[in-house]
Amino acid sequence: MPVAVAVAARVNANASPMPDQPNSPATPNSPQHPGSHSGDGVVAERVQPKLKKPPLYKVLLLNDDYTPMEFVVFLLRRFFNMSEDKAEQIMVHIHTKGLGVCGVFPREIAETKVRLTMDSARQNEHPLQCTMELE
């Protein structure tokens, strides 16, 4: 018999079960199971940590005199899942005010949308600028 098995067998042979703990695995009503009654009137309870919502970022498109309005509508529909009407409303707002919010997202999603928008504008040789800022 290998040494580790012999030592374990000897320890198990010498071990005596504790009188208040059964030799079976934890059951939903046993004191070993979290959130259960222990028989003495005490209830063990799991404490859930308080999670904060992630900070949100606005994705902004900036107006320029060179990017076609149709291309801006295309980007809003493709990367921001807007309807044709909503994309046209946002595009007109950007054109008249110089800046417009395309959406509000957690940081990673906002970064991805900015990158995709900028990459598409560059591939189509448009100087359109897309940025993000903390809401």
Side-chain angles (χ1 to χ4, degrees), residues 25-96:
T27 60
N29 292 329
S30 72
Q32 299 164 349
H33 191 275
S36 65
H37 295 281
S38 63
D40 59 358
V42 177
V43 176
E45 218 175 283
R46 282 191 187 163
V47 177
Q48 294 290 334
K50 300 287 183 196
L51 300 177
K52 287 175 42 178
K53 290 186 178 181
L56 298 176
Y57 291 81
K58 295 186 284 188
V59 176
L60 306 166
L61 276 180
L62 287 70
N63 187 46
D64 64 65
D65 294 332
Y66 303 101
T67 305
M69 293 181 189
E70 295 80 17
F71 185 72
V72 174
V73 170
F74 164 77
L75 291 175
L76 291 169
R77 294 192 71 203
R78 179 166 184 187
F79 298 121
F80 298 93
N81 300 319
M82 292 185 186
S83 67
E84 182 81 24
D85 290 340
K86 183 68 174 174
E88 286 180 7
Q89 287 176 347
I90 300 293
M91 177 273 298
V92 169
H93 179 85
I94 293 167
H95 182 71
T96 57

Coordinates of all heavy atoms in Angstrom, one line a residue, residues 25-96:
P25 N -23.2 14.2 3.2 CA -23.0 15.6 2.7 C -24.0 16.6 3.2 O -25.1 16.2 3.6 CB -23.0 15.4 1.2 CG -23.6 14.1 0.9 CD -23.5 13.3 2.2
A26 N -23.7 17.9 3.0 CA -24.6 18.9 3.5 C -26.0 18.8 2.7 O -26.0 18.6 1.5 CB -24.0 20.3 3.2
T27 N -27.0 18.9 3.5 CA -28.4 18.9 2.9 C -28.9 20.3 3.0 O -28.4 21.1 3.9 CB -29.3 17.9 3.5 OG1 -29.4 18.2 4.9 CG2 -28.7 16.5 3.3
P28 N -30.0 20.7 2.3 CA -30.5 22.0 2.4 C -30.9 22.4 3.8 O -30.9 23.6 4.1 CB -31.7 22.0 1.5 CG -31.4 20.9 0.5 CD -30.6 19.9 1.2
N29 N -31.2 21.5 4.7 CA -31.6 21.9 6.1 C -30.5 21.6 7.1 O -30.7 21.8 8.3 CB -32.9 21.1 6.5 CG -34.1 21.5 5.7 OD1 -34.2 22.6 5.3 ND2 -35.0 20.5 5.4
S30 N -29.3 21.3 6.6 CA -28.2 21.0 7.6 C -27.5 22.3 7.9 O -27.6 23.3 7.1 CB -27.2 20.0 7.0 OG -26.5 20.6 6.0
P31 N -26.8 22.4 9.0 CA -26.1 23.7 9.3 C -24.9 24.0 8.4 O -24.5 25.1 8.3 CB -25.6 23.4 10.7 CG -26.0 22.1 11.1 CD -26.7 21.4 10.0
Q32 N -24.5 23.0 7.6 CA -23.4 23.2 6.7 C -23.8 23.9 5.4 O -23.0 24.5 4.7 CB -22.8 21.9 6.3 CG -22.2 21.1 7.5 CD -21.9 19.7 7.1 OE1 -22.4 19.2 6.1 NE2 -21.2 19.0 8.0
H33 N -25.1 24.0 5.2 CA -25.6 24.6 3.9 C -26.0 26.0 4.2 O -26.8 26.3 5.1 CB -26.9 23.8 3.5 CG -27.3 24.2 2.1 ND1 -28.1 25.3 1.9 CD2 -27.0 23.7 0.9 CE1 -28.4 25.4 0.6 NE2 -27.7 24.4 0.0
P34 N -25.3 27.0 3.5 CA -25.6 28.4 3.8 C -27.0 28.8 3.5 O -27.6 28.2 2.6 CB -24.7 29.2 2.8 CG -23.8 28.1 2.2 CD -24.3 26.8 2.5
G35 N -27.6 29.7 4.3 CA -28.9 30.1 4.0 C -30.0 29.2 4.6 O -31.1 29.2 4.3
S36 N -29.6 28.3 5.5 CA -30.5 27.3 6.0 C -30.7 27.5 7.5 O -29.9 28.2 8.2 CB -30.0 25.9 5.8 OG -28.8 25.7 6.5
H37 N -31.7 26.8 8.1 CA -31.9 26.9 9.5 C -31.0 25.9 10.2 O -30.8 24.8 9.7 CB -33.4 26.6 9.8 CG -34.3 27.6 9.3 ND1 -34.6 28.8 9.9 CD2 -35.1 27.6 8.1 CE1 -35.4 29.4 9.2 NE2 -35.8 28.7 8.1
S38 N -30.4 26.3 11.3 CA -29.5 25.4 12.0 C -30.1 24.7 13.2 O -29.4 24.0 13.9 CB -28.3 26.2 12.5 OG -28.7 27.2 13.5
G39 N -31.4 24.8 13.4 CA -32.0 24.1 14.5 C -32.0 24.8 15.8 O -32.8 24.6 16.6
D40 N -31.2 25.8 16.0 CA -31.2 26.6 17.2 C -31.8 27.9 17.1 O -31.6 28.8 17.9 CB -29.7 26.7 17.8 CG -28.8 27.4 16.8 OD1 -29.2 27.8 15.7 OD2 -27.6 27.6 17.2
G41 N -32.6 28.1 16.0 CA -33.3 29.3 15.7 C -32.5 30.4 15.0 O -33.0 31.5 14.7
V42 N -31.3 30.1 14.6 CA -30.4 31.0 13.9 C -30.5 30.7 12.4 O -30.4 29.6 12.0 CB -29.0 31.0 14.4 CG1 -28.1 31.9 13.6 CG2 -28.9 31.3 15.9
V43 N -30.6 31.7 11.6 CA -30.7 31.6 10.1 C -29.4 32.2 9.5 O -29.1 33.4 9.7 CB -31.9 32.3 9.5 CG1 -31.9 32.1 8.0 CG2 -33.2 31.6 10.1
A44 N -28.6 31.4 8.9 CA -27.4 31.9 8.2 C -27.9 32.5 6.9 O -28.7 31.9 6.1 CB -26.4 30.8 8.0
E45 N -27.4 33.6 6.5 CA -27.8 34.3 5.3 C -26.6 34.8 4.5 O -25.7 35.3 5.0 CB -28.6 35.6 5.7 CG -29.8 35.8 4.8 CD -30.6 37.0 5.4 OE1 -31.4 36.7 6.3 OE2 -30.5 38.0 4.8
R46 N -26.7 34.5 3.2 CA -25.7 35.0 2.3 C -25.9 36.5 2.0 O -27.0 37.0 1.8 CB -25.8 34.3 0.9 CG -25.2 33.0 0.9 CD -25.0 32.5 -0.5 NE -24.6 31.1 -0.4 CZ -24.7 30.3 -1.4 NH1 -25.1 30.6 -2.6 NH2 -24.3 29.0 -1.3
V47 N -24.8 37.2 2.1 CA -24.9 38.7 1.9 C -24.4 38.9 0.4 O -23.3 38.6 0.1 CB -24.0 39.4 2.9 CG1 -24.0 40.9 2.6 CG2 -24.5 39.2 4.3
Q48 N -25.3 39.5 -0.4 CA -24.9 39.9 -1.8 C -24.2 41.2 -1.8 O -24.7 42.2 -1.1 CB -26.2 40.0 -2.6 CG -26.9 38.6 -2.8 CD -26.1 37.7 -3.7 OE1 -25.3 38.1 -4.5 NE2 -26.3 36.4 -3.5
P49 N -23.0 41.3 -2.4 CA -22.4 42.6 -2.5 C -23.2 43.6 -3.3 O -23.9 43.2 -4.3 CB -21.0 42.3 -3.2 CG -21.3 41.0 -3.9 CD -22.3 40.3 -3.2
K50 N -23.1 44.8 -2.9 CA -23.8 45.9 -3.7 C -23.0 46.2 -4.9 O -21.8 46.6 -4.8 CB -24.0 47.1 -2.8 CG -24.8 46.9 -1.5 CD -26.2 46.7 -1.8 CE -27.0 46.5 -0.5 NZ -28.3 46.0 -0.7
L51 N -23.6 46.0 -6.1 CA -22.9 46.3 -7.3 C -23.3 47.7 -7.8 O -24.5 48.0 -7.9 CB -23.2 45.2 -8.4 CG -22.8 43.8 -8.0 CD1 -23.2 42.8 -9.1 CD2 -21.3 43.7 -7.8
K52 N -22.3 48.5 -8.3 CA -22.7 49.8 -8.9 C -22.9 49.6 -10.4 O -22.2 48.8 -11.0 CB -21.5 50.7 -8.6 CG -21.4 51.2 -7.2 CD -20.1 52.1 -7.0 CE -19.9 53.1 -8.0 NZ -18.7 53.9 -7.8
K53 N -23.8 50.4 -10.9 CA -23.9 50.4 -12.4 C -22.7 51.0 -13.0 O -22.1 52.0 -12.4 CB -25.2 51.1 -12.7 CG -26.5 50.5 -12.4 CD -27.7 51.2 -12.9 CE -28.9 50.4 -12.5 NZ -30.1 51.1 -13.0
P54 N -22.3 50.5 -14.1 CA -21.1 51.1 -14.8 C -21.4 52.5 -15.2 O -22.6 52.8 -15.6 CB -20.8 50.2 -16.0 CG -22.1 49.5 -16.3 CD -22.8 49.4 -14.9
P55 N -20.4 53.4 -15.3 CA -20.6 54.7 -15.8 C -21.0 54.7 -17.3 O -20.5 53.8 -18.0 CB -19.3 55.4 -15.5 CG -18.3 54.4 -15.4 CD -19.0 53.2 -14.9
L56 N -21.8 55.6 -17.7 CA -22.3 55.6 -19.1 C -21.6 56.7 -19.8 O -21.2 57.8 -19.2 CB -23.8 55.8 -19.1 CG -24.6 54.6 -18.5 CD1 -26.1 55.0 -18.5 CD2 -24.3 53.3 -19.2
Y57 N -21.4 56.5 -21.1 CA -20.7 57.5 -22.0 C -21.6 57.8 -23.2 O -22.2 56.9 -23.8 CB -19.4 56.9 -22.5 CG -18.4 56.8 -21.4 CD1 -18.4 55.7 -20.5 CD2 -17.4 57.7 -21.2 CE1 -17.5 55.6 -19.5 CE2 -16.4 57.6 -20.2 CZ -16.5 56.5 -19.4 OH -15.6 56.4 -18.4
K58 N -21.6 59.1 -23.5 CA -22.4 59.6 -24.7 C -21.4 59.4 -25.9 O -20.3 59.8 -25.8 CB -22.8 61.0 -24.6 CG -23.8 61.3 -23.5 CD -24.2 62.7 -23.5 CE -23.2 63.6 -22.9 NZ -23.6 65.0 -22.7
V59 N -21.9 58.9 -27.0 CA -21.2 58.8 -28.3 C -21.7 60.0 -29.1 O -22.9 60.1 -29.3 CB -21.4 57.5 -29.0 CG1 -20.7 57.5 -30.3 CG2 -20.9 56.3 -28.1
L60 N -20.8 60.8 -29.5 CA -21.1 62.1 -30.2 C -20.6 62.1 -31.6 O -19.4 61.6 -31.9 CB -20.5 63.2 -29.5 CG -20.8 63.4 -28.0 CD1 -19.9 64.4 -27.3 CD2 -22.3 63.8 -27.8
L61 N -21.3 62.6 -32.6 CA -20.9 62.8 -33.9 C -20.8 64.3 -34.1 O -21.6 65.1 -33.7 CB -21.9 62.3 -35.0 CG -21.7 60.8 -35.3 CD1 -22.8 60.4 -36.4 CD2 -20.4 60.5 -35.9
L62 N -19.7 64.8 -34.7 CA -19.4 66.2 -35.0 C -19.6 66.5 -36.4 O -19.2 65.7 -37.3 CB -18.0 66.5 -34.6 CG -17.7 66.6 -33.1 CD1 -17.7 65.2 -32.5 CD2 -16.4 67.3 -32.9
N63 N -20.3 67.6 -36.7 CA -20.6 68.0 -38.0 C -19.3 68.5 -38.8 O -18.4 69.0 -38.1 CB -21.6 69.2 -38.0 CG -22.0 69.5 -39.4 OD1 -22.4 68.6 -40.2 ND2 -22.1 70.8 -39.7
D64 N -19.2 68.2 -40.0 CA -18.2 68.8 -40.9 C -18.8 69.2 -42.2 O -20.0 68.8 -42.5 CB -17.0 67.8 -41.1 CG -17.4 66.6 -41.8 OD1 -17.7 66.6 -43.0 OD2 -17.3 65.5 -41.2
D65 N -18.1 69.9 -43.0 CA -18.6 70.4 -44.3 C -18.4 69.4 -45.5 O -18.8 69.8 -46.6 CB -18.0 71.8 -44.6 CG -18.4 72.8 -43.7 OD1 -19.5 72.7 -43.1 OD2 -17.7 73.8 -43.5
Y66 N -17.9 68.2 -45.2 CA -17.5 67.4 -46.3 C -18.2 66.0 -46.3 O -18.4 65.4 -47.3 CB -16.0 67.1 -46.3 CG -15.2 68.4 -46.4 CD1 -14.7 69.0 -45.2 CD2 -15.1 69.1 -47.6 CE1 -14.0 70.2 -45.3 CE2 -14.4 70.3 -47.6 CZ -13.9 70.9 -46.5 OH -13.2 72.1 -46.6
T67 N -18.5 65.5 -45.1 CA -19.2 64.2 -45.1 C -20.6 64.3 -45.5 O -21.4 65.1 -45.0 CB -19.2 63.6 -43.6 OG1 -17.8 63.6 -43.2 CG2 -19.7 62.2 -43.6
P68 N -21.1 63.5 -46.5 CA -22.4 63.6 -47.0 C -23.4 63.2 -45.9 O -23.2 62.3 -45.1 CB -22.5 62.5 -48.1 CG -21.1 62.3 -48.5 CD -20.2 62.5 -47.3
M69 N -24.6 63.8 -45.9 CA -25.6 63.5 -44.9 C -26.1 62.1 -45.0 O -26.4 61.5 -44.0 CB -26.8 64.5 -45.1 CG -26.5 65.9 -44.8 SD -28.0 66.9 -45.1 CE -27.3 68.6 -44.9
E70 N -26.1 61.6 -46.3 CA -26.6 60.2 -46.5 C -25.6 59.2 -45.8 O -26.1 58.2 -45.3 CB -26.7 59.8 -48.0 CG -27.7 60.6 -48.7 CD -27.2 62.0 -49.1 OE1 -26.0 62.3 -49.1 OE2 -28.1 62.9 -49.4
F71 N -24.3 59.5 -45.8 CA -23.4 58.7 -45.1 C -23.6 58.7 -43.6 O -23.5 57.7 -42.9 CB -21.9 59.1 -45.5 CG -20.9 58.1 -44.9 CD1 -20.7 56.9 -45.4 CD2 -20.1 58.5 -43.8 CE1 -19.8 56.0 -44.9 CE2 -19.2 57.6 -43.3 CZ -19.0 56.4 -43.8
V72 N -23.9 59.9 -43.0 CA -24.1 60.0 -41.6 C -25.4 59.1 -41.2 O -25.4 58.4 -40.2 CB -24.3 61.4 -41.2 CG1 -24.8 61.5 -39.7 CG2 -23.1 62.2 -41.4
V73 N -26.4 59.2 -42.1 CA -27.6 58.4 -41.8 C -27.2 56.9 -41.9 O -27.7 56.1 -41.1 CB -28.7 58.7 -42.8 CG1 -29.9 57.7 -42.8 CG2 -29.2 60.1 -42.6
F74 N -26.4 56.5 -42.9 CA -26.0 55.1 -43.0 C -25.3 54.7 -41.7 O -25.5 53.6 -41.2 CB -25.0 55.0 -44.2 CG -24.2 53.7 -44.2 CD1 -24.8 52.5 -44.6 CD2 -22.9 53.8 -43.8 CE1 -24.0 51.4 -44.6 CE2 -22.1 52.6 -43.8 CZ -22.7 51.4 -44.2
L75 N -24.4 55.5 -41.2 CA -23.6 55.1 -40.0 C -24.6 55.0 -38.8 O -24.4 54.0 -38.0 CB -22.6 56.2 -39.7 CG -21.4 56.2 -40.6 CD1 -20.5 57.4 -40.2 CD2 -20.6 55.0 -40.6
L76 N -25.5 55.9 -38.7 CA -26.4 55.8 -37.5 C -27.3 54.6 -37.6 O -27.6 54.0 -36.6 CB -27.3 57.1 -37.5 CG -26.6 58.4 -37.2 CD1 -27.5 59.6 -37.4 CD2 -26.1 58.4 -35.7
R77 N -27.7 54.2 -38.8 CA -28.5 53.0 -38.9 C -27.7 51.7 -38.7 O -28.1 50.8 -38.0 CB -29.1 52.9 -40.3 CG -30.1 54.1 -40.5 CD -31.0 53.9 -41.7 NE -31.9 52.8 -41.4 CZ -32.5 52.1 -42.4 NH1 -32.2 52.4 -43.7 NH2 -33.3 51.1 -42.1
R78 N -26.5 51.7 -39.2 CA -25.6 50.5 -39.1 C -25.1 50.3 -37.7 O -25.1 49.2 -37.2 CB -24.5 50.6 -40.1 CG -23.6 49.4 -40.1 CD -22.7 49.3 -41.3 NE -22.0 48.0 -41.2 CZ -21.0 47.7 -42.0 NH1 -20.7 48.5 -43.0 NH2 -20.4 46.6 -41.9
F79 N -24.5 51.3 -37.1 CA -23.7 51.1 -35.9 C -24.6 51.4 -34.6 O -24.2 51.0 -33.5 CB -22.4 51.9 -35.9 CG -21.5 51.4 -37.0 CD1 -21.0 52.3 -37.9 CD2 -21.1 50.1 -37.1 CE1 -20.2 51.9 -38.9 CE2 -20.2 49.7 -38.1 CZ -19.8 50.6 -39.0
F80 N -25.7 52.2 -34.8 CA -26.5 52.6 -33.7 C -27.9 52.0 -33.7 O -28.7 52.4 -32.9 CB -26.4 54.1 -33.5 CG -25.0 54.6 -33.3 CD1 -24.2 55.0 -34.3 CD2 -24.5 54.7 -32.0 CE1 -22.9 55.5 -34.1 CE2 -23.2 55.1 -31.8 CZ -22.4 55.5 -32.8
N81 N -28.2 51.2 -34.7 CA -29.4 50.5 -34.8 C -30.6 51.4 -34.8 O -31.6 51.1 -34.2 CB -29.6 49.4 -33.8 CG -28.5 48.4 -33.8 OD1 -28.1 47.9 -34.9 ND2 -28.0 48.0 -32.7
M82 N -30.5 52.5 -35.5 CA -31.6 53.5 -35.6 C -32.5 53.2 -36.8 O -32.0 52.7 -37.8 CB -31.1 54.9 -35.7 CG -30.4 55.4 -34.4 SD -29.9 57.1 -34.6 CE -29.0 57.3 -33.1
S83 N -33.7 53.6 -36.7 CA -34.6 53.6 -37.8 C -34.2 54.7 -38.8 O -33.5 55.6 -38.5 CB -36.1 53.8 -37.4 OG -36.3 55.1 -36.9
E84 N -34.7 54.6 -40.0 CA -34.5 55.6 -41.0 C -34.9 57.0 -40.5 O -34.1 58.0 -40.6 CB -35.2 55.3 -42.3 CG -34.9 56.2 -43.5 CD -33.6 56.0 -44.2 OE1 -33.1 54.8 -44.1 OE2 -33.1 56.9 -44.8
D85 N -36.1 57.1 -40.0 CA -36.6 58.4 -39.5 C -35.7 58.9 -38.3 O -35.4 60.1 -38.3 CB -38.0 58.3 -39.0 CG -39.0 58.0 -40.2 OD1 -38.6 58.3 -41.3 OD2 -40.1 57.5 -39.9
K86 N -35.4 58.1 -37.4 CA -34.6 58.5 -36.2 C -33.2 59.0 -36.7 O -32.7 60.0 -36.2 CB -34.5 57.4 -35.2 CG -33.8 57.8 -33.9 CD -34.5 58.8 -33.1 CE -33.8 59.1 -31.8 NZ -34.4 60.2 -31.1
A87 N -32.6 58.2 -37.6 CA -31.3 58.5 -38.1 C -31.3 59.9 -38.8 O -30.4 60.7 -38.6 CB -30.8 57.4 -39.0
E88 N -32.4 60.1 -39.6 CA -32.5 61.4 -40.3 C -32.6 62.6 -39.3 O -32.1 63.6 -39.5 CB -33.6 61.4 -41.3 CG -33.3 60.5 -42.5 CD -34.4 60.5 -43.5 OE1 -35.4 61.2 -43.4 OE2 -34.2 59.7 -44.5
Q89 N -33.4 62.3 -38.2 CA -33.6 63.4 -37.2 C -32.3 63.7 -36.5 O -31.9 64.9 -36.4 CB -34.6 62.9 -36.1 CG -36.0 62.9 -36.5 CD -36.9 62.3 -35.5 OE1 -36.4 61.7 -34.5 NE2 -38.2 62.5 -35.6
I90 N -31.5 62.7 -36.2 CA -30.2 62.9 -35.5 C -29.2 63.6 -36.5 O -28.5 64.5 -36.1 CB -29.6 61.6 -35.0 CG1 -30.5 60.9 -34.0 CG2 -28.2 61.8 -34.4 CD1 -30.7 61.7 -32.7
M91 N -29.2 63.2 -37.7 CA -28.4 63.8 -38.8 C -28.7 65.3 -38.9 O -27.8 66.1 -39.0 CB -28.5 63.0 -40.1 CG -27.7 63.6 -41.2 SD -28.5 64.9 -42.1 CE -30.0 64.1 -42.8
V92 N -29.9 65.6 -39.0 CA -30.3 67.0 -39.1 C -29.9 67.8 -37.9 O -29.4 68.9 -38.0 CB -31.8 67.2 -39.4 CG1 -32.3 68.6 -39.3 CG2 -32.2 66.6 -40.8
H93 N -30.0 67.2 -36.7 CA -29.6 67.9 -35.5 C -28.1 68.1 -35.5 O -27.6 69.2 -35.2 CB -30.0 67.0 -34.3 CG -29.5 67.6 -33.0 ND1 -30.3 68.5 -32.3 CD2 -28.4 67.4 -32.2 CE1 -29.6 68.9 -31.2 NE2 -28.5 68.2 -31.1
I94 N -27.3 67.1 -35.9 CA -25.9 67.2 -36.0 C -25.5 68.3 -37.0 O -24.7 69.2 -36.8 CB -25.2 65.9 -36.4 CG1 -25.4 64.9 -35.3 CG2 -23.7 66.1 -36.8 CD1 -25.1 63.4 -35.7
H95 N -26.2 68.4 -38.1 CA -25.9 69.3 -39.2 C -26.2 70.8 -38.7 O -25.5 71.7 -39.0 CB -26.8 69.0 -40.4 CG -26.5 69.9 -41.6 ND1 -25.3 69.9 -42.3 CD2 -27.3 70.8 -42.2 CE1 -25.4 70.8 -43.3 NE2 -26.6 71.4 -43.2
T96 N -27.3 70.9 -38.0 CA -27.7 72.3 -37.6 C -27.0 72.8 -36.3 O -26.7 74.0 -36.2 CB -29.3 72.4 -37.4 OG1 -29.7 71.4 -36.4 CG2 -30.0 72.2 -38.7

